Amino acid sequence: MRRIIAFFGVLALAGSLAACGGGEKKADKDRLRVGYQRFGGLSLVKAKGAAPKATWSLFESGPALTEALKAGAIDIGQVGEAPPIFAAAGGTKFKIIATSAPVPKGEAVLVKEKSGFTSFKDLKGKKVALNKGSNVNWLLVKLLEANGMKISDIEVRYLKPAEARPAFDNDQVDAWIIWDPYFALAEKPGVKVLADASGLAHNREYLLVSPDALKEKPDLIREYLKVYREVTDWGIANPDDRVTLLAPELKIPEDVARRALARSAQPLAPVDATIGGEIQQIADGFTDLELIPRKVDVKSLIDPSYSDLLK
């Protein structure tokens, strides 16, 4: 147990150091500064050593990564559905140049079996932990909507993964809404999935890039996307090799990596007006619930310039 808690602590520290230290580096026009989280296609590219012109900064969550993008510490990074919206509402400048196929089973509501909870409605009046501004924030919105509940019907605890895991393990919260690989790490005897995003949210990943990088490093971005697509396709076609390569990079056991990747690894996909409409709907939902201070035109941030590489 201590090793697992320590793992989350290291992730939090690494994310903080990357976000703070990256801003001191001068932009190198011959290198692409990539922000990544310890999972998914970007981690696979890093583990495979397939992008020699990339420099890497690790972040614990999407909101931390978008803060680094705002600070000019990174050129490009991958996040879930909600971080681009919160970032745009906060004035961060970026474009969305790629997405993924839907990953609805890659995020879920976890509860203890001993709780006796059988549906999300059972969480009325209970403490529910999640990371504010991350993909699971939208899943919470859709879960409440699907169950005829309001956010005031539960006691929301906004906790980062490194804080939420011990709170969940020690019964300080009744449920934890979380994404892979934290989701897979938390699955153990006595823990069950109350619900995932199936039928509620697409839970796509989005690749964000700064306007400066689009202007100054278009060839590097095109080269990187080509490699990213090739490596992602290789991983999907070779799941056992992918697990062997990624488990050490993720610093998690192979069985955990295999479980998480089996449900969460999806191919890259191009962005278009449909994707823009999808993420705009999420943004409007956040506006209606006053989770962001004003309406944001997220669909205008869609940039299909690199879509030819992803079809």
Side-chain angles (χ1 to χ4, degrees):
M1 178 61 68
R2 285 186 213 163
R3 294 181 66 183
I4 292 175
I5 293 173
F7 166 78
F8 282 91
V10 168
L11 282 185
L13 178 60
S16 298
L17 289 175
C20 295
E24 299 173 0
K25 298 177 182 178
K26 292 183 179 179
D28 185 342
K29 291 187 178 182
D30 295 323
R31 300 190 70 80
L32 197 64
R33 299 171 301 161
V34 181
Y36 76 108
Q37 300 175 64
R38 207 186 285 276
F39 193 60
L42 291 186
S43 286
L44 186 59
V45 173
K46 182 177 181 294
K48 219 170 186 295
K53 294 181 182 178
T55 57
W56 300 87
S57 294
L58 174 64
F59 298 90
E60 182 190 15
S61 66
L65 190 151
T66 58
E67 280 299 312
L69 193 67
K70 184 177 185 178
I74 59 174
D75 298 315
I76 192 168
Q78 192 168 39
V79 297
E81 290 172 320
I85 296 165
F86 282 84
T92 303
K93 305 299 182 184
F94 62 89
K95 291 291 186 178
I96 302 171
I97 62 170
T99 186
S100 72
V103 194
K105 294 187 178 299
E107 57 178 357
V109 183
L110 302 182
V111 297
K112 300 289 182 63
E113 287 184 350
K114 66 183 181 182
S115 68
F117 300 142
T118 59
S119 75
F120 190 80
K121 287 183 178 180
D122 293 335
L123 295 178
K124 190 169 184 177
K126 303 300 181 182
K127 299 181 182 70
V128 179
L130 68 147
N131 192 84
K132 187 175 184 178
S134 291
N135 53 342
V136 290
N137 218 148
W138 180 239
L139 176 56
L140 172 62
V141 170
K142 299 304 289 182
L143 283 163
L144 292 169
E145 180 183 287
N147 288 277
M149 298 166 64
K150 299 178 180 178
I151 198 164
S152 57
D153 289 331
I154 60 175
E155 186 177 335
V156 179
R157 296 289 180 87
Y158 289 120
L159 300 173
K160 295 178 181 179
E163 302 164 331
R165 176 62 190 273
F168 179 70
D169 286 344
N170 295 320
D171 297 325
Q172 295 169 347
V173 296
D174 300 290
W176 184 21
I177 311 180
I178 190 59
W179 64 89
D180 275 323
Y182 303 105
F183 171 12
L185 276 164
E187 288 181 288
K188 62 179 183 178
V191 173
K192 72 174 185 177
V193 175
L194 190 65
D196 62 27
S198 296
L200 298 171
H202 288 300
N203 188 34
R204 296 182 191 271
E205 294 180 338
Y206 292 91
L207 199 62
L208 314 184
V209 62
S210 75
D212 286 345
L214 280 172
K215 181 180 178 181
E216 299 171 3
K217 305 179 180 182
D219 293 338
L220 278 177
I221 293 170
R222 179 166 287 275
E223 180 182 341
Y224 185 80
L225 267 182
K226 185 174 184 295
V227 168
Y228 189 10
R229 173 65 185 268
E230 290 171 353
V231 170
T232 301
D233 289 350
W234 171 86
I236 291 170
N238 299 275
D240 290 337
D241 292 336
R242 179 180 60 191
V243 167
T244 301
L245 186 64
L246 259 184
E249 173 70 27
L250 301 177
K251 294 181 170 57
I252 59 178
E254 285 196 2
D255 63 319
V256 174
R258 181 171 287 105
R259 184 166 63 247
L261 289 164
R263 64 186 170 218
S264 292
Q266 294 293 336
L268 285 172
V271 292
D272 54 20
T274 299
I275 297 297
E278 187 178 299
I279 195 169
Q280 186 64 53
Q281 182 183 24
I282 299 172
D284 293 344
F286 284 156
T287 304
D288 293 342
L289 291 170
E290 299 182 346
L291 293 173
I292 54 177
R294 59 184 176 84
K295 181 178 176 64
V296 292
D297 183 12
V298 186
K299 65 180 183 296
S300 68
L301 303 179
I302 296 293
D303 184 344
S305 300
Y306 298 92
S307 293
D308 60 300
L309 297 174
L310 305 173
K311 292 178 179 178

